[in-house]
Amino acid sequence: MRKFNYTIKDPNGVHARPAAVIVTEAKKYASNVFIIHGQRSADAKKLFAVMALGAQCGDELIFEFDGSDEASAYDGMIEAVEKARL
Amino acid sequence: MIKFYGVGVSPSVAYGKLKFFDLLTNEPCSSSEAASGSQISELEKYRSAKKQLELELGELERMAYDSGGAEAADIFSFYRLMLDDDDLELSVCDRISNVGMSAEVAVSAAIGELSDIFKSLPNEYMREREADLLALRDRLLKKLGGHGAKIELDSHVIIAAVDLTPADTVELQGHGILGFALEKGSGNSHTAILARGMGIPAVCQLGELPRELDGKTALIDGERGCLIIEPSCELIDDAKRRQAVQSEIRLRNEALRGKPTVSKNGKKIKLLANVGDLNDVKRAVESDAEGVGLLRSEFLYLEHENVPSEDEQLDIYRKTIAMLNGRELIIRTLDIGADKELPYMKLSEERNPALGLRGIRASMAYPDIFTSQMRAILRASAYGDVGIMLPMVSTEDEVEWAITVLDEAKAQLLFDGAHIGRVSLGIMIETPSAALISDKLAKRSDFFSIGTNDLTQYTIAADRENGALSNLNTSLPESVKKLIEMTVSNAKMHGIPVSVCGEAAGEAENAPYFLSLGIDKLSISPLRILDLRHTISELNV
């Protein structure tokens, strides 16, 4: 398993576009991808679940990767969230 | 004269009759009916409606991209992700199969439940996304009810509505709408983004608009954020003046339709269109393009589960040739890399796909796919001349390889008795390497097309999607100009034509440069053709 922490920079938090970026990236991999936000967690491949986290600007998320291609999922997600400046 | 104040979200003005959107469209289907058919057919009904909606959203995404750019198109990719969400799918199917609901009731209930999630979100911006989910529901219900979402409408009206979904906005665009007056909505709303992209005035948050205003004349002023019912002559005159400037531009452009593109000093250049599918080809003809300078053939492959057969490809190329009716056509061979995956072309994960196995390199790794494309194009040439253009070339060997494949395919087809027309082979100059050896490449090709986007990215060594580097990825930096000039002079020396495709080609400020260099053709977005023809007609080059 791999994980990284990420602090949300988008002023509107994880709204439509950021959630779409995360879900689109997560769906590329076979591994399970989870996002943990305080007491809640969500399957990163599910759009409504990701939005329901209600993560706002400045909140810290933990991304967890578990599965056969977790290394590339980890790299891919870091690149995707940084590129989109979430 | 009655005046409503709101927030202008798309700054232009228009004057015309007010029409209420909710008085035009069908009521959403009633959702109280019990299931009529068997549950299996309800499931099928849901799946087929979902499939139809997926296609429609894809189409809207393309339309939005053309009129409003990437930001507008993103809205529809968000819709598609919502539609494709596993939770939604499970919830609908469970309600149909296990609870016995009709597809309509199941969709309403499942989306109703999901929309509660949005209501509890911590900020306003996120809560506003509930409107998108409800818009998706209404679309899906319309599809289930078998209603097309087509709207019957007189053109030249101002649309008034409580709010509009992005899909409504894009569809209305085709009806010559003058502007939008919304009771709710916000500058953040997707409709506002789209209206700006289309250059139509829009005003939001006007408060309740009485329905008896339907059919009255009104002035919508997106610059000042107001809607004026039965405005005074003075106000109309002012609006007319502002409108006149806008329509003058349109008229001026129309006058150039069918004319060649010539500067004041008599320098000629051809304006061609970049296209990504058959709809684009239609648009290119409508916007008076002198041909297609870049047909991105990827759409033939991306929409298929399996490799498209040679006959399927031939069919599309034949249709394109027929639609172009004698105008020139240049097809770029499959330009795919690890960033766009095809199920039948397994490209392994790459650390840096921009420098990876893509374009001609990927074709060399999958020669069968390339050969089948060559054969389809050669067969299509029986119906009209075609140019083939190789992407991502960086060495002579790559070109030699492609020539060999093309020659072999031609020999085989001729042997089989096929008819082949005139086919030329050109090279995209989009790597610094190709520009630097353009003297050698010119001997082996019939034309060059300079792809400025990639050429800039590779020359400056800056990822064009990295916002932090946008100061480096400017339009035509000096180093890129040097490579362009080298390419053009080598092409001239060998007597082959040069075109430029890529964003820089469509930018008005670059026109004098390309014209004075003696570029033969510019291939640009269909929407920019007449504007650029006008710009060039005013140049003293």
Side-chain angles (χ1 to χ4, degrees):
Chain A
M1 196 194 68
R2 288 169 184 248
K3 60 179 169 183
F4 68 82
N5 292 26
Y6 188 83
T7 306
I8 299 297
K9 297 168 195 70
D10 190 303
N12 292 311
V14 181
H15 55 96
R17 197 183 57 86
V21 168
I22 292 171
V23 173
T24 307
E25 188 62 28
K27 281 187 164 177
K28 290 183 191 167
Y29 308 98
S31 296
N32 292 314
V33 184
F34 290 105
I35 306 177
I36 299 140
H37 176 232
Q39 308 293 321
R40 311 178 69 160
S41 66
D43 180 343
K45 294 179 184 178
K46 294 185 171 184
L47 184 72
F48 295 112
V50 172
M51 291 188 73
L53 291 173
Q56 302 212 60
C57 186
D59 286 0
E60 191 173 58
L61 300 180
I62 303 167
F63 285 82
E64 264 187 23
F65 306 84
D66 187 12
S68 55
D69 56 357
E70 58 185 40
S72 31
Y74 172 94
D75 290 342
M77 187 64 78
I78 290 187
E79 204 186 320
V81 295
E82 282 180 352
K83 195 163 111 185
R85 277 168 293 163
L86 300 194
Chain B
M1 188 170 95
I2 321 169
K3 202 165 175 179
F4 294 89
Y5 295 92
V7 182
V9 294
S10 179
S12 56
V13 289
Y15 171 70
K17 272 206 175 112
L18 200 63
K19 270 280 165 204
F20 277 85
F21 188 65
D22 44 13
L23 304 179
L24 302 167
T25 44
N26 306 325
E27 288 296 303
C29 308
S30 115
S31 51
S32 56
E33 308 151 33
S36 47
S38 73
Q39 294 320 102
I40 291 171
S41 72
E42 287 299 309
L43 266 184
E44 275 170 6
K45 209 167 118 185
Y46 165 67
R47 297 240 158 83
S48 120
K50 184 179 162 186
K51 184 98 200 160
Q52 282 176 39
L53 186 54
E54 259 166 19
L55 291 172
E56 185 176 293
L57 289 170
E59 175 64 13
L60 288 167
E61 191 174 335
R62 273 195 291 275
M63 284 164 71
Y65 186 83
D66 286 344
S67 52
E71 200 187 356
D74 275 353
I75 299 165
F76 295 104
S77 63
F78 173 61
Y79 272 54
R80 286 208 289 192
L81 280 176
M82 285 201 292
L83 182 65
D84 196 38
D85 188 81
D86 290 345
D87 289 331
L88 175 60
E89 171 88 15
L90 279 175
S91 170
V92 172
C93 294
D94 178 59
R95 282 178 160 85
I96 294 174
S97 312
N98 302 328
V99 187
M101 286 181 175
S102 70
E104 285 92 340
V105 178
V107 164
S108 294
I111 293 191
E113 193 177 271
L114 286 169
S115 75
D116 288 342
I117 295 174
F118 287 76
K119 290 198 184 93
S120 63
L121 291 175
N123 75 42
E124 184 59 34
Y125 194 89
M126 292 184 191
R127 282 192 296 274
E128 281 178 15
R129 302 282 77 81
E130 189 196 352
D132 292 318
L133 181 59
L134 297 181
L136 184 78
R137 177 196 63 192
D138 292 344
R139 286 252 139 191
L140 201 49
L141 287 177
K142 271 185 192 157
K143 286 271 169 286
L144 283 168
H147 295 289
K150 294 284 171 241
I151 300 152
E152 292 299 323
L153 191 61
D154 303 332
S155 52
H156 305 300
V157 294
I158 296 167
I159 291 291
V162 178
D163 203 350
L164 286 172
T165 67
D168 292 332
T169 316
V170 172
E171 275 181 357
L172 281 167
Q173 182 206 11
H175 295 266
I177 295 304
L178 297 172
F180 295 110
L182 304 181
E183 295 181 348
K184 294 184 182 163
S186 75
N188 289 330
S189 75
H190 294 151
T191 302
I193 296 170
L194 287 169
R196 278 196 292 276
M198 295 167 194
I200 303 172
V203 181
C204 289
Q205 294 166 33
L206 285 161
E208 201 188 323
L209 302 169
R211 294 296 183 268
E212 43 296 3
L213 298 178
D214 192 67
K216 292 226 178 353
T217 56
L219 179 67
I220 178 100
D221 190 335
E223 282 175 39
R224 293 169 193 168
C226 60
L227 173 74
I228 305 163
I229 308 296
E230 296 177 335
S232 69
C233 297
E234 207 179 319
L235 282 170
I236 297 172
D237 286 346
D238 176 59
K240 276 187 178 157
R241 256 195 305 280
R242 288 191 271 162
Q243 219 176 3
V245 175
Q246 294 164 12
S247 63
E248 202 177 313
I249 294 176
R250 267 197 303 275
L251 271 177
R252 182 198 79 191
N253 284 351
E254 282 309 308
L256 292 169
R257 192 173 279 280
K259 301 255 165 68
T261 310
V262 196
S263 74
K264 275 196 171 152
N265 296 358
K267 270 216 163 156
K268 271 195 181 176
I269 196 161
K270 264 180 123 178
L271 298 184
L272 310 174
N274 299 337
V275 301
D277 59 23
L278 289 178
N279 284 324
D280 283 353
V281 177
K282 187 165 150 247
R283 236 162 270 155
V285 173
E286 283 166 4
S287 56
D288 203 37
E290 293 161 69
V292 163
L294 167 61
L295 179 121
R296 302 182 175 101
S297 60
E298 292 74 62
F299 76 99
L300 275 162
Y301 299 84
L302 292 169
E303 288 165 9
H304 283 73
E305 297 270 309
N306 302 308
V307 190
S309 72
E310 193 182 305
D311 285 344
E312 282 173 287
Q313 298 179 57
L314 171 65
D315 181 54
I316 299 285
Y317 296 140
R318 267 182 64 177
K319 282 184 182 146
T320 307
I321 291 168
M323 284 162 84
L324 288 174
N325 194 17
R327 296 176 184 86
E328 77 172 277
L329 168 64
I330 294 175
I331 299 170
R332 180 177 71 188
T333 60
L334 179 61
D335 187 11
I336 213 120
D339 49 346
K340 278 192 210 117
E341 205 172 305
L342 295 176
Y344 44 84
M345 205 166 161
K346 288 271 168 261
L347 302 173
S348 50
E349 191 100 4
E350 289 175 337
R351 189 73 202 143
N352 198 343
L355 301 181
L357 192 67
R358 54 180 305 160
I360 185 82
R361 305 167 182 184
S363 293
M364 291 172 83
Y366 286 83
D368 293 350
I369 294 180
F370 186 77
T371 304
S372 132
Q373 186 170 25
M374 290 301 105
R375 285 178 56 93
I377 295 175
L378 284 165
R379 286 169 61 192
S381 71
Y383 305 89
D385 298 353
V386 188
I388 298 175
M389 181 157 82
L390 306 172
M392 212 40 206
V393 166
S394 50
T395 69
E396 283 181 86
D397 289 349
E398 289 159 340
V399 179
E400 290 305 331
W401 176 80
I403 290 173
T404 311
V405 175
L406 184 66
D407 286 346
E408 279 170 11
K410 203 186 279 179
Q412 183 66 50
L413 282 167
L414 288 173
F415 180 77
D416 294 341
H419 185 61
I420 293 175
R422 274 207 307 195
V423 176
S424 53
L425 183 73
I427 298 173
M428 274 199 86
I429 304 294
E430 55 183 342
T431 66
S433 173
L436 292 165
I437 57 167
S438 52
D439 53 340
K440 299 206 168 108
L441 297 179
K443 290 181 196 153
R444 302 299 283 144
S445 66
D446 299 316
F447 61 91
F448 283 158
S449 183
I450 302 172
T452 54
N453 296 359
D454 273 334
L455 186 60
T456 305
Q457 154 166 286
Y458 293 134
T459 304
I460 301 282
D463 181 348
R464 67 171 184 248
E465 283 174 25
N466 185 337
L469 303 174
S470 56
N471 60 326
L472 291 173
N473 267 311
T474 52
S475 181
L476 303 183
E478 195 187 339
S479 49
V480 174
K481 282 188 173 169
K482 281 196 174 167
L483 291 174
I484 292 177
E485 285 152 26
M486 183 184 285
T487 304
V488 173
S489 105
N490 284 323
K492 299 273 169 211
M493 201 153 9
H494 292 89
I496 62 171
V498 194
S499 61
V500 178
C501 54
E503 265 159 60
E507 287 163 6
E509 62 270 27
N510 294 329
Y513 174 69
F514 290 134
L515 228 57
S516 59
L517 262 188
I519 296 284
D520 301 280
K521 304 162 198 175
L522 297 173
S523 194
I524 63 180
S525 152
L527 298 171
R528 302 229 1 92
I529 299 267
L530 289 173
D531 268 336
L532 193 61
R533 186 171 294 158
H534 173 259
T535 305
I536 290 171
S537 72
E538 305 265 283
L539 288 177
N540 284 308
V541 179

